[in-house]
Amino acid sequence: MTVPINRERLAATFTELCEISSPSRKEGAIAAYLKKALAELGADSIHEDDSATRTGSESGNLIARFAGNQPDREGLFFSCHMDVVEPAMGVQVVRKGDIFTSKGETVLGGDDKTGIAAVLELLAMLNENNTPHPKIEVVITTCEEIGLLGAKNLDYKRLETPYGYALDSTGINHVVIGAPAANKIMIEVKGLAAHAGLCPEAGINALALAASALTNIRLGRLDDESTCNFGIIQGGMATNIVPEKITLKGEVRSHSKEKLSHYTEEIFATFQKTVNDWQGGPATGDHRPSVAISIVDDYPPLSLTEDAPVVKRIKKAAGDCGKDLRYIVAGGGSDANIFNGFGLPTAIIATGMSKVHTVDEQLDLSDLVSLTELLHALALT
Ligand SMILES: [Zn+2]
C-alpha cells in the first residue's frame, strides 16, 4: 500500500532547492535554508559539524535528528549531499508537465536535490500526520562532488542510528549494494633537460619514458571487478627542449581490496622497471632517470550482503509499498563508500535524476513521488 504524496509541495520544494545555487564549497545559502527547514519540520537536534575548516566549504555537514516515538524500533539515517557540479550559479527551473529541467545554461542540480526534496517531504508527512516512527537521522554533506570531502571529514560519532540510505543514484527503482574502492595515483617521471637540436644526447626524455611505461600497463577494464585509467598527462616546456619532467595522474578501482593493491603495485613496478632499464650514452654522464609515485587511498569499497539489516529493511519496505527494486553493483564511488568505510552500512537508492552533470539534466516528478513513497515505507517498516 502506498501513502498519498503531496506532489505539488514536493515539486515546489525541489524547485526551491534547485534554485539555491550551491556549487561545492559554496554551500552557505543552502545550508542556511536546510537548517531552517529541518527546524520547522520538528528536528530534535540540528548539528553543523566543524568539517568546513578542513573542506574549505562555507558550511559544515548537517546532521539532524528526529527522535520519533518508537524507541524499540531500529532507527535509520538518510544521507544526501548539498553541493552540485558546475555550471551551477543562477539555476532557473523549467517545468513542462511533470518534467523538470534547467533553462539550459546550468545543471538542474537534481544530483542531489532530488534526495533532499524527498527527505524533506517525508519529514513533512510524518510531522503533519503525527505518524509514529523510529529515530530518523538526516545527514547532508558538503563537497561530495569534489572528492567526497564532507563525508571524509564527518564526525561519525554523532550518528546514533546503525545504518542508512544514501539518496544519490541516477535512474529509479534500484538500490546500489556494491561499489568499488579506488586509489588515486600520481606518477612523476624525471629525466634530464637538454637542447633538442644542439645536444639531444645529453638529455633524458621523460616523456618517452612515461609513454613507454604506459604502453606496458593495462588500461580500461582489468577484470570483472577492476578498472584502471590514466586521464591526465602534464609536462614539457618547448619543442626544442628534451622534456625533463612528466606528471601522470590516474586511478585504479576494484571491488576487491586485494586486486586494488595488486594492480596499483603492478603500475609502480612497470614504471620502476622502465626507468631501471634505461640506458644512456656518454653524454648523459652519471645522470639517470627516476620515478616517484604517490598513491592516495581515495575511498573504500561498498559491499553489502543480501542478509545485511540495511538490505533486508529496504526489501521489506519495497514489498510493503509495492515496488519492484533491482539490487545492483555499480562502478562509481560516493559518500556511501565513506560511510561504509566508517562502519555504517549504507545502501544507495536511485532518486530519479537523469543526465546528471550536464545542462540537459532532467527529473520526472513521478519518479520523485515514487522515491518519497519508498522512503515513507522505509521509515515505517
Ligand atoms: Zn551525487
Side-chain angles (χ1 to χ4, degrees):
M1 202 190 80
T2 55
V3 289
I5 305 285
N6 187 334
R7 290 174 72 95
E8 289 310 310
R9 182 172 62 189
L10 179 57
T13 304
F14 177 68
T15 303
E16 206 172 345
L17 287 166
C18 289
E19 291 188 343
I20 302 170
S21 302
S22 63
S24 305
R25 291 203 170 100
K26 298 196 180 79
E27 295 103 332
I30 190 131
Y33 172 95
L34 290 170
K35 279 187 202 169
K36 186 163 170 280
L38 291 162
E40 283 168 5
L41 290 166
D44 293 286
S45 68
I46 301 169
H47 173 72
E48 178 186 335
D49 72 12
D50 66 352
S51 59
T53 55
R54 298 179 296 282
T55 61
S57 169
E58 292 170 352
S59 173
N61 301 301
L62 300 181
I63 302 175
R65 185 170 301 118
F66 295 79
N69 48 7
Q70 296 182 317
D72 297 338
R73 289 190 50 227
E74 204 160 49
L76 76 170
F77 64 82
F78 293 111
S79 90
C80 309
H81 60 89
M82 63 179 102
D83 63 316
V84 302
V85 295
E86 301 269 14
M89 296 308 284
V91 176
Q92 284 180 273
V93 176
V94 176
R95 179 177 178 180
K96 285 191 186 126
D98 271 357
I99 306 297
F100 293 82
T101 61
S102 74
K103 269 184 107 179
E105 284 122 37
T106 66
V107 294
L108 176 62
D111 180 4
D112 188 22
K113 286 161 180 174
T114 45
I116 301 175
V119 168
L120 295 181
E121 181 56 32
L122 164 70
L123 295 168
M125 288 166 66
L126 298 177
N127 195 27
E128 71 193 1
N129 299 324
N130 285 318
T131 312
H133 66 83
K135 185 182 291 177
I136 298 174
E137 289 174 306
V138 179
V139 186
I140 310 181
T141 62
T142 63
C143 300
E144 194 267 358
E145 300 285 7
I146 52 170
L148 321 176
L149 298 186
K152 285 177 181 173
N153 288 284
L154 184 80
D155 182 2
Y156 289 88
K157 290 193 296 295
R158 290 231 162 228
L159 282 171
E160 294 177 355
T161 49
Y163 58 77
Y165 303 88
L167 314 176
D168 191 14
S169 181
T170 57
I172 191 73
N173 289 332
H174 67 251
V175 182
V176 178
I177 56 170
N183 280 343
K184 268 190 186 161
I185 301 172
M186 192 173 100
I187 297 171
E188 194 178 275
V189 180
K190 264 190 103 174
L192 183 65
H195 193 293
L198 300 178
C199 52
E201 306 79 4
I204 303 174
N205 191 316
L207 178 56
L209 284 166
S212 166
L214 208 51
T215 53
N216 287 314
I217 285 169
R218 286 191 299 141
L219 299 173
R221 193 167 297 285
L222 306 181
D223 60 51
D224 57 0
E225 299 188 290
S226 317
T227 59
C228 173
N229 186 55
F230 274 83
I232 297 174
I233 181 161
Q234 290 165 320
M237 302 289 287
T239 59
N240 63 356
I241 302 174
V242 175
E244 180 165 31
K245 195 171 88 175
I246 295 293
T247 306
L248 299 122
K249 289 178 185 167
E251 58 162 49
V252 179
R253 299 185 189 202
S254 183
H255 292 274
S256 152
K257 273 185 171 172
E258 292 71 33
K259 285 178 179 168
L260 182 69
S261 58
H262 169 75
Y263 289 128
T264 306
E265 281 163 24
E266 205 172 74
I267 289 168
F268 180 61
T270 304
F271 271 86
Q272 196 63 59
K273 182 173 185 323
T274 306
V275 163
N276 290 347
D277 289 350
W278 175 86
Q279 287 187 342
T284 48
D286 293 336
H287 291 287
R288 291 211 51 88
S290 63
V291 61
I293 184 164
S294 69
I295 298 158
V296 177
D297 174 357
D298 201 15
Y299 46 82
L302 187 175
S303 179
L304 299 168
T305 55
E306 299 268 335
D307 60 352
V310 66
V311 179
K312 278 163 73 176
R313 186 178 193 140
I314 195 164
K315 285 191 169 172
K316 167 126 187 3
D320 290 349
C321 63
K323 295 193 192 300
D324 190 12
L325 303 183
R326 289 175 300 121
Y327 297 85
I328 64 167
V329 170
S334 67
D335 277 358
N337 290 62
I338 307 299
F339 281 65
N340 280 283
F342 277 95
L344 288 169
T346 307
I348 309 172
I349 301 177
T351 68
M353 51 174 148
S354 75
K355 299 184 193 169
V356 295
H357 295 202
T358 76
V359 296
D360 299 321
E361 199 188 331
Q362 282 194 6
L363 174 78
D364 185 329
L365 180 58
S366 299
D367 288 339
L368 197 51
V369 168
S370 176
L371 171 66
T372 312
E373 288 167 352
L374 178 61
L375 300 192
H376 191 266
L378 268 172
L380 268 59
T381 293

